[in-house]
């Protein structure tokens, strides 16, 4: 007997492609056909955004930016592990080749990765058994040792501060600071309001920034 189950996936993908076509047409109309040919020539963003992979925090949308404005790296719980080749290579390319002027590490409220780390910290300690557990290990330890029990927002903010410190201590910035200044910032996106909040921990090659 044939199944009556209908897989909704093709319709979801069709909708995405349809919305893309309408967006491209609208962009062409708004820029008199100039945007995409110029975009294809190259990029020169001034900002590297390192954020969470959460679907609710798309950097171009929440900052009302155009494609080409923001160089981006996103992962679970907006981590910057000094030994992670993916994150370090993005930072290297953005700073040394694209020549961004600002690196922004962005966390967000109600982060699922941070919430999982709070639960893991409250449970009995055990060795990580999956790639996700290993990835979140440092954040779980942070939840266990430095933030108030169950305070997710405090953990999100503490995590941003740690990752900013990791970026500032990277060999990439140490090399580039010999040539020019690059500023690093820590922000939190509030899902409840749609607004970004600067944690006031910005720094450059001469130390903390005052503004």
């Amino acid at each position: 007997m044939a199944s009556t189950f209908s897989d909704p996936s093709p319709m979801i993908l069709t909708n995405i492609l349809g919305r893309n076509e309408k967006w491209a047409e609208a962009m062409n109309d708004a820029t008199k056909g100039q945007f995409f040919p110029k975009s294809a020539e190259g990029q020169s963003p001034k900002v590297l955004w390192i954020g969470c992979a959460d679907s609710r925090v798309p950097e171009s949308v929440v900052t009302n930016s155009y494609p080409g404005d923001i160089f981006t790296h996103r992962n679970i719980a907006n981590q910057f592990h000094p030994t992670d080749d993916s994150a370090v290579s993005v930072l290297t390319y953005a700073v040394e080749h694209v020549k961004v002027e600002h690196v922004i590490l962005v966390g967000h409220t109600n982060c699922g990765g941070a919430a999982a780390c709070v639960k893991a910290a409250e449970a009995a300690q055990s060795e990580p058994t999956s790639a996700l557990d290993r990835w979140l290990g440092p954040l779980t330890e942070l939840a266990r040792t430095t933030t108030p029990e169950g305070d997710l927002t405090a953990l999100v903010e503490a995590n941003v501060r740690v990752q900013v410190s990791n970026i500032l201590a990277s060999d990439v910035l140490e090399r580039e600071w010999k040539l020019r200044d690059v500023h690093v910032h820590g922000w939190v996106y509030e899902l409840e309001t749609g607004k970004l909040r600067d944690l006031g921990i910005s720094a450059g090659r001469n130390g903390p920034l005052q503004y």
Side-chain angles (χ1 to χ4, degrees), residues 143-203:
R144 182 177 291 118
T145 59
T146 65
T147 58
E149 183 175 350
D151 190 337
L152 186 56
T153 298
L155 178 58
V156 165
E157 293 181 358
N159 179 42
V160 170
R161 292 186 173 91
V162 168
Q163 307 315 319
V164 166
S165 294
N166 287 343
I167 295 168
L168 289 169
S170 68
D171 292 341
V172 178
L173 286 189
E174 183 179 349
R175 290 193 302 269
E176 194 67 12
W177 279 340
K178 295 176 182 178
L179 306 173
R180 65 186 181 99
D181 207 354
V182 179
H183 299 154
V184 183
H185 314 270
W187 293 358
V188 170
Y189 175 73
E190 297 181 343
L191 289 171
E192 302 84 353
T193 65
K195 295 183 179 180
L196 290 159
R197 177 161 50 89
D198 189 339
L199 295 185
I201 55 174
S202 299

Side-chain angles (χ1 to χ4, degrees), residues 24-41:
E25 290 173 353
M27 185 68 79
N28 269 325
D29 290 342
T31 64
K32 295 181 172 57
Q34 297 300 306
F35 179 79
F36 293 113
K38 184 175 181 180
S39 177
E41 293 174 0

Side-chain angles (χ1 to χ4, degrees), residues 20 109 162 211:
N20 165 256
T109 58
V162 168
Y211 55 82

